[in-house]
Amino acid sequence: MSESLLAARDVRMAFGGVVALDGASVEVRPGCVTGLIGRNGSGKSTLFNCLTGFLKPTSGVVELDGRDITGHAPHEVMRAGVARTFQTPRIDFQTTGRQAVLCGLYPRVSHGFVASLLGLPRAVREEQALQRRADEVVERMRMQAWADAKVNQLSMGRVRTVEVARAIAADTRFVLLDEPAAGIGRDEMRVLADEIRGLAERGIGVLLVEHNFSLIRVLCEDVTVLDTGAVIFRGTPEEARQNDQVKQLYLGAAAAGEAA
Ligand SMILES: Nc1ncnc2c1ncn2[C@@H]1O[C@H](COP(=O)(O)OP(=O)(O)O)[C@@H](O)[C@H]1O
Ligand SMILES: [Mg+2]
């Protein structure tokens, strides 16, 4: 059996004349947090979209456990165990955190839609099992105290937590987090860092897009740096910090500022 791995290989994505990805590759391994960094517009979100089926690359391959899944639909990729969050949270702000987690479980539901509408016994049992599973996820992500408040009442940090919880609710093996720390405060950032570390400890492979390099440094074993759609560096965060090209392109100001 081939090794468990999510990978993009030599992916190119052109939008008309705009080349968003120009032969980019990245690998995500179970139990590891891989950082994906680069300036705005360098192609990070586009690479996420290609990895999760939201975009079909112009060329190149997306591979899951050695199987070519290029161009598979988002729900198929999700069923195969790859989940994601979005740079701008895509959550119904009128639902509660617990309901949002429950929504994340529906890709797993096997009974027919009609059976569910008719409330047939099997559908009811399945529904109860899903509720229990949602409760487990709420507990694991330490959301109990506020899981039943509407999402529109929550701080940005908690909204992001709900998004991560929803993403990993189903049996997720890989999760892609697009700037999960954007717009959240320092304390919430610490909570989020613990959550992300917890995902990796449970064997989930995480791909993390994040501008805050200190977060990358504490969480990631390796980091891939994109610039204008191509990978310009791959190595440990420490090596990235010392690499002249990376420093010049991306870290310059940030690295100087965060030495404090
Ligand atoms: N749907 C799209 N149509 C046209 N251009 C796009 C589209 N999505 C992204 N781009 C362009 O591709 C480049 C990479 O964008 P993106 O992947 O969002 O970068 P990042 O997430 O690193 O900030 C940018 O130049 C952006 O304007
Ligand atoms: Mg982006």
Side-chain angles (χ1 to χ4, degrees), residues 214-233:
S214 7
L215 200 57
I216 292 281
R217 212 161 52 158
V218 298
L219 286 176
C220 299
E221 274 163 64
D222 57 63
V223 59
T224 294
V225 184
L226 275 184
D227 192 55
T228 56
V231 174
I232 58 152
F233 176 87

Side-chain angles (χ1 to χ4, degrees), residues 39-46 48 87 178-179 209 211:
R39 297 182 293 188
N40 275 333
S42 57
K44 304 179 297 293
S45 293
T46 303
F48 266 36
Q87 191 169 343
D178 201 350
E179 301 195 23
V209 168
H211 286 297

